[in-house]
Amino acid sequence: MEFLFDSLLALISETSTNLPPDVRAAMGAALSAEKPRTQSHQALNVIATNIDMAHDSQAPICQDTGMPFFLVHTPPAVSQVAIKRAIIDAVAEATRRGKLRPNSVDSITGKNSGNNLGPETPIVHFEQWGEDSIEVKLLLKGGGCENKNIQYSLPCELDHLGRADRTLAGVKSCILHSVWQAQGQGCAPGAIGVAIGSDRGHGYFLAKQQLFRTLDDTNPDPVLAKLEAEIMDEANRIGVGAMGFGGNASLIGCKITAANRLPASFFVSVAYDCWAFRRLGVRLDASSGAITNWVYRDPERAVERMAASVGVPLTGREIVLTPPLSEAAVRALKVGDVVLISGEIYTGRDNVHAHLMKNPPPVDLTGGIIYHCGPVMLKRGEEWFSNAAGPTTSIREEPYQADVMKLLGLKAVIGKGGMGARTLQACRELPGVYLHAIGGAASLIAKSVEEVLGVYKLEFGVPEAMWVIRVRDFPAVVTMDAHGNSLHDTIREQSRVELERLLA
Ligand code: SF4
């Protein structure tokens, strides 16, 4: 199959850089549903711009290109061994070309393999079928939304919502709860795949498999079709909104399947995918490996643009922040303010935070800004540059953040999804602020990275290293301020009350 490698490389590159038409349509509807001049509307505008920019520059839509998940159908006579080998080679090459971020980490040593390969990476599922051609479908689902997957064992007690019984009403409560618990941490508005029944392991697989359905299809089972429609309606009334900023657009898709279960078990498994819902597929000629058709998209049809204008939509009320930040500048910021950051900032994720707890920083960080980001970094000659640099989920750093801020004199944290009570308290004491960048807006934010000035702890791997970058007009929203206010706490509580009311 002389064209197999090229076909698979094209599939990976296209999946990472170009959202399928059904997701674009759903995001367009989300944008129309949101009230203009709200933070959620602005977030959706930034997302729309990012989708266009990623396609224009053939760069990853989001820097977290996730765990590659392949679903392959083959005719009986085709060698699955050869296909797996070609998938592995194509994944490594796509990583080298910056279409995928090196994301495969040894779970025992913590070492990043650097090429997205390793035990059980990528994930490849094979099934035989009666057709003559090969079908390869790919889902790239990042860690932020993967961490918001959830499984319920019915009957169960849901936070503040009471008991979910082994009934369709109980199932529905669990599914709505899954959207609520994700808030902005899975980069809402998201889409969910749901499996009712099966066992724990296969339930999650079936839930993920539902994400291979198009967002605009109709479930052939009328009971499940009705449930999907009800969830779409009600989930979009609880007020989570884009990025958890509050608003009407919380969910862009709900796809449900049901499987038989053991009498003793009743699982509801939910796979939460973010707005950066990267899913494509190809049909391949079984003898040459050449692409005969694309699944989910028509390459003859022009890709529709998402944004009404070019660049980040600004109002003129944005506040310019230039680190190092003074106490007065930090105290002046209030939840809801939009800021544009220009100057030197430092990336830091899990490994950097754990390291900084025990070791002196490589540079003076007083008054500085740390950015929860695992960028895609590439080299042009000896110079590093970034083609995707969006925020990662901040809550993972909650055990460290307050101490790291106090120890090093940091004045601001950029991330997404918000942080908890200890960080909020540290913001009051220091003072400090939490700045919310738009999750997944990786191409757009990469454009604001003027220069990569250096890197520390590269041995942690590209995403986990501490990159020193100079940014210009990096957009973010203040969602936790030095006065004890947290937009995340407010929206979480408001949406909880709304969900409770809906389920009453
Ligand atoms: S859009 Fe958000 S949740 Fe999705 S992969 Fe990117 S950072 Fe993760």
Side-chain angles (χ1 to χ4, degrees), residues 65-67 139-143 145-146 149 208 211 271-273:
T65 53
M67 173 70 86
L139 183 70
L140 297 175
K141 183 172 180 296
C145 54
E146 186 67 15
N149 291 357
K208 205 172 227 185
L211 297 174
Y272 187 101
D273 208 336

Side-chain angles (χ1 to χ4, degrees), residues 436-489:
H436 199 298
I438 304 305
S443 280
L444 182 142
I445 295 173
K447 290 275 186 297
S448 72
V449 179
E450 284 190 328
E451 192 179 354
V452 178
L453 299 168
V455 59
Y456 300 100
K457 308 309 289 179
L458 193 52
E459 63 269 30
F460 291 162
V462 167
E464 291 286 341
M466 185 178 194
W467 296 91
V468 187
I469 54 179
R470 193 174 61 241
V471 296
R472 174 168 294 277
D473 295 338
F474 179 131
V477 179
V478 178
T479 56
M480 292 164 65
D481 64 23
H483 311 283
N485 304 306
S486 162
L487 179 70
H488 310 284
D489 290 351

Side-chain angles (χ1 to χ4, degrees), residues 68-100:
F69 181 93
F70 291 88
L71 202 53
V72 186
H73 285 89
T74 56
V78 165
S79 163
Q80 296 184 347
V81 175
I83 295 176
K84 182 132 187 215
R85 185 69 255 159
I87 286 177
I88 285 171
D89 291 346
V91 163
E93 180 59 18
T95 310
R96 199 185 64 74
R97 294 186 187 191
K99 305 297 180 190
L100 297 177

Side-chain angles (χ1 to χ4, degrees), residues 95-117:
T95 310
R96 199 185 64 74
R97 294 186 187 191
K99 305 297 180 190
L100 297 177
R101 185 178 71 180
N103 258 357
S104 179
V105 175
D106 185 306
S107 293
I108 307 303
T109 63
K111 194 168 165 1
N112 191 316
S113 68
N115 58 3
N116 269 312
L117 304 181

Side-chain angles (χ1 to χ4, degrees), residues 24 47-57 304-307:
R24 286 169 174 269
I47 287 170
T49 306
N50 181 71
I51 294 169
D52 290 341
M53 285 171 102
H55 182 246
D56 291 346
S57 55
E304 299 111 50
R305 294 194 79 73
M306 295 289 301

Side-chain angles (χ1 to χ4, degrees), residues 140-338:
L140 297 175
K141 183 172 180 296
C145 54
E146 186 67 15
N147 289 347
K148 299 321 288 185
N149 291 357
I150 188 165
Q151 193 169 54
Y152 303 87
S153 175
L154 273 54
C156 64
E157 286 293 324
L158 300 171
D159 317 334
H160 314 288
L161 297 175
R163 195 177 62 241
D165 293 314
R166 290 181 166 193
T167 60
L168 215 48
V171 168
K172 186 171 157 183
S173 299
C174 292
I175 300 173
L176 286 170
H177 179 269
S178 76
V179 178
W180 174 78
Q181 60 89 39
Q183 292 287 307
Q185 290 173 6
C187 290
I192 49 174
V194 181
I196 305 169
S198 194
D199 67 7
R200 281 196 188 275
H202 197 56
Y204 264 135
F205 173 76
L206 292 173
K208 205 172 227 185
Q209 213 178 22
Q210 286 298 295
L211 297 174
F212 284 102
R213 286 173 51 195
T214 55
L215 295 180
D216 52 5
D217 74 358
T218 303
N219 199 312
D221 180 326
V223 175
L224 297 182
K226 182 166 173 281
L227 184 59
E228 288 176 359
E230 285 173 6
I231 297 287
M232 284 303 293
D233 174 46
E234 292 176 23
N236 282 315
R237 283 200 270 143
I238 64 175
V240 170
M243 291 297 130
F245 288 171
N248 303 325
S250 305
L251 197 64
I252 54 170
C254 173
K255 302 290 151 188
I256 306 175
T257 189
N260 281 15
R261 59 180 174 83
L262 293 170
S265 311
F266 195 135
F267 298 111
V268 176
S269 310
V270 182
Y272 187 101
D273 208 336
C274 52
W275 69 260
F277 187 166
R278 290 150 292 175
R279 174 245 297 129
L280 278 178
V282 281
R283 284 284 187 112
L284 306 175
D285 181 279
S287 46
S288 70
I291 296 174
T292 55
N293 293 93
W294 283 85
V295 186
Y296 306 118
R297 66 180 279 263
D298 174 3
E300 301 303 318
R301 209 172 122 197
V303 174
E304 299 111 50
R305 294 194 79 73
M306 295 289 301
S309 56
V310 180
V312 183
L314 299 176
T315 62
R317 292 192 300 275
E318 292 78 16
I319 297 164
V320 174
L321 286 186
T322 313
L325 304 178
S326 67
E327 282 199 20
V330 171
R331 282 193 205 283
L333 295 170
K334 306 266 180 332
V335 160
D337 287 343
V338 178

Side-chain angles (χ1 to χ4, degrees), residues 307-387:
S309 56
V310 180
V312 183
L314 299 176
T315 62
R317 292 192 300 275
E318 292 78 16
I319 297 164
V320 174
L321 286 186
T322 313
L325 304 178
S326 67
E327 282 199 20
V330 171
R331 282 193 205 283
L333 295 170
K334 306 266 180 332
V335 160
D337 287 343
V338 178
V339 299
L340 294 174
I341 305 151
S342 291
E344 216 169 290
I345 64 174
Y346 309 87
T347 70
R349 296 175 25 131
D350 310 46
N351 284 358
V352 164
H353 280 76
H355 179 80
L356 291 175
M357 291 284 286
K358 296 194 190 126
N359 300 280
V363 279
D364 182 9
L365 297 173
T366 310
I369 302 178
I370 196 157
Y371 179 24
H372 297 159
C373 170
V376 177
M377 289 288 188
L378 296 167
K379 265 195 161 172
R380 203 182 282 124
E382 284 310 298
E383 305 284 305
W384 286 101
F385 71 98
S386 177
N387 69 345

